């Protein structure tokens, strides 16, 4: 309707997304904002737990996260793969080995994200399932800082492969059993919430743009990310 179109020209789009999406979301926002210059966007980039808090409190229009909450009634749409991989310094002794066992892996010191991180939680779930634990040498609240710490030789970490799209020359991905941990980013919103015209337009755009981005590399599934990194 005319009112919808008018509504589309002006307004606010509030997004809250998990940390790993910062490698794509700001970029994907570019063309959207060019097309709808009257739309003001606020993008909160934070960890899984805080995104869930914001969702529960209905603070934003749309959320992007990897683990859909079970105790909140939401609608969700898969956006893009978000595989988790084991990252090591480039010249680590395990770098040339194939199919490294989890048992061997946990002999190495680890750098962990902060409690509340979905990345950390996914790795912890894998360890729990195998009744293993790791020696945590350092806890850090930033994927980028963890990459630097890995390069500095402080230990290994489990990170989203997306975090390796920038500045990955000093680190490498280890070939470990049970990895990559396959995950997706989902666009999520409260079922009780009527999406604004702006938010639903953005949701359509996000799904199309993410699919194009993946397809653009001519590869299916997580392969395109792997390719990018090699
Ligand atoms: P995180 O989010 O920043 O909470 O680790 C990443 C994820 O859940 O995939």
């Amino acid at each position: 309707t005319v009112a919808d179109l008018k509504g589309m020209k002006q307004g606010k789009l509030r997004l809250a997304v998990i940390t790993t999406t910062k490698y794509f979301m700001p970029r994907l926002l570019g063309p959207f904002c060019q097309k709808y210059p009257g739309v003001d966007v606020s993008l909160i980039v934070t960890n899984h737990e805080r995104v869930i808090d914001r969702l529960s409190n209905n603070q934003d229009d749309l959320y992007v996260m990897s683990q859909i909450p079970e105790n909140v009634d939401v609608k969700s749409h898969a956006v893009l793969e978000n595989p988790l991989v084991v990252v090591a310094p480039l010249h680590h002794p395990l770098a040339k080995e194939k199919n490294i066992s989890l048992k061997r892996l946990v002999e190495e010191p680890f750098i962990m994200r902060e409690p509340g991180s979905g990345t950390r939680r996914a790795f912890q779930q894998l360890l729990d399932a195998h009744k293993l634990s790791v020696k945590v040498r350092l806890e850090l609240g930033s994927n980028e800082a963890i990459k630097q710490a890995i390069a500095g030789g402080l230990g290994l970490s489990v990170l989203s492969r997306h975090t390796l799209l920038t500045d990955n020359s000093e680190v490498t991905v280890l070939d470990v059993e049970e990895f990559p941990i396959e995950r997706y980013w989902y666009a999520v919103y409260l079922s009780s919430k009527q999406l604004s015209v702006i938010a639903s337009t953005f949701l359509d755009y996000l799904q199309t743009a993410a699919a194009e981005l993946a397809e653009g590399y001519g590869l299916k599934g997580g392969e395109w990310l792997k390719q990018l990194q090699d």
Side-chain angles (χ1 to χ4, degrees), residues 23-38:
Y23 298 90
F24 286 107
M25 284 296 283
R27 195 165 286 227
L28 291 183
L29 278 173
F32 185 80
C33 292
Q34 264 164 24
K35 194 162 171 196
Y36 304 109

Side-chain angles (χ1 to χ4, degrees), residues 29-229:
L29 278 173
F32 185 80
C33 292
Q34 264 164 24
K35 194 162 171 196
Y36 304 109
V39 175
D40 289 331
V41 183
S42 80
L43 175 64
I44 306 268
V45 182
T46 186
N47 73 22
H48 175 79
E49 204 167 275
R50 297 220 181 90
V51 171
I52 299 284
D53 285 348
R54 295 187 67 91
L55 171 74
S56 307
N57 296 328
N58 191 20
Q59 283 175 277
D60 314 272
D61 298 309
L62 270 179
Y63 303 86
V64 179
M65 64 184 77
S66 286
Q67 270 156 312
I68 301 166
E70 279 149 24
N71 51 357
V72 194
D73 194 9
V74 294
K75 294 205 171 82
S76 63
H77 305 266
V79 172
L80 203 59
E81 293 197 9
N82 179 27
L84 302 184
V85 295
V86 181
V87 185
L90 197 54
H91 301 295
H92 192 276
L94 292 177
K96 290 210 171 67
E97 294 200 15
K98 294 267 169 263
N99 203 25
I100 300 157
S101 71
L102 285 175
K103 253 185 147 157
R104 172 65 189 86
L105 184 71
V106 300
E107 289 172 20
E108 298 291 320
F110 265 80
I111 306 160
M112 287 290 226
R113 283 281 306 279
E114 76 286 2
S117 149
T119 305
R120 174 181 171 133
R121 194 162 100 170
F123 182 38
Q124 192 61 52
Q125 280 167 352
L126 178 70
L127 291 172
D128 291 348
H130 290 83
K131 300 195 167 49
L132 294 169
S133 60
V134 288
K135 196 166 61 191
V136 180
R137 181 177 281 175
L138 191 63
E139 225 177 66
L140 276 177
S142 142
N143 299 316
E144 288 300 309
I146 288 180
K147 265 168 39 181
Q148 294 302 322
I150 295 168
L154 281 167
L156 311 184
S157 193
V158 170
L159 294 173
S160 163
R161 191 149 23 214
H162 291 277
T163 65
L164 301 178
L165 290 176
T166 57
D167 181 28
N168 64 0
S169 56
E170 290 176 289
V171 297
T172 187
V173 172
L174 298 185
D175 180 5
V176 181
E177 64 174 357
E178 307 284 343
F179 282 89
I181 300 176
E182 299 291 353
R183 304 170 87 222
Y184 281 86
W185 285 326
Y186 298 94
V188 174
Y189 57 95
L190 288 172
S191 300
S192 57
K193 194 168 170 107
Q194 170 81 45
L195 280 188
S196 68
V197 179
I198 293 171
S200 67
T201 306
F202 181 74
L203 178 59
D204 289 343
Y205 166 75
L206 179 61
Q207 287 175 285
T208 313
E212 273 169 15
L213 206 58
E215 221 172 74
Y217 297 103
L219 293 161
K220 277 219 184 79
E223 287 302 306
W224 64 277
L225 272 171
K226 214 181 285 174
Q227 189 82 0
L228 257 188
Q229 180 205 327

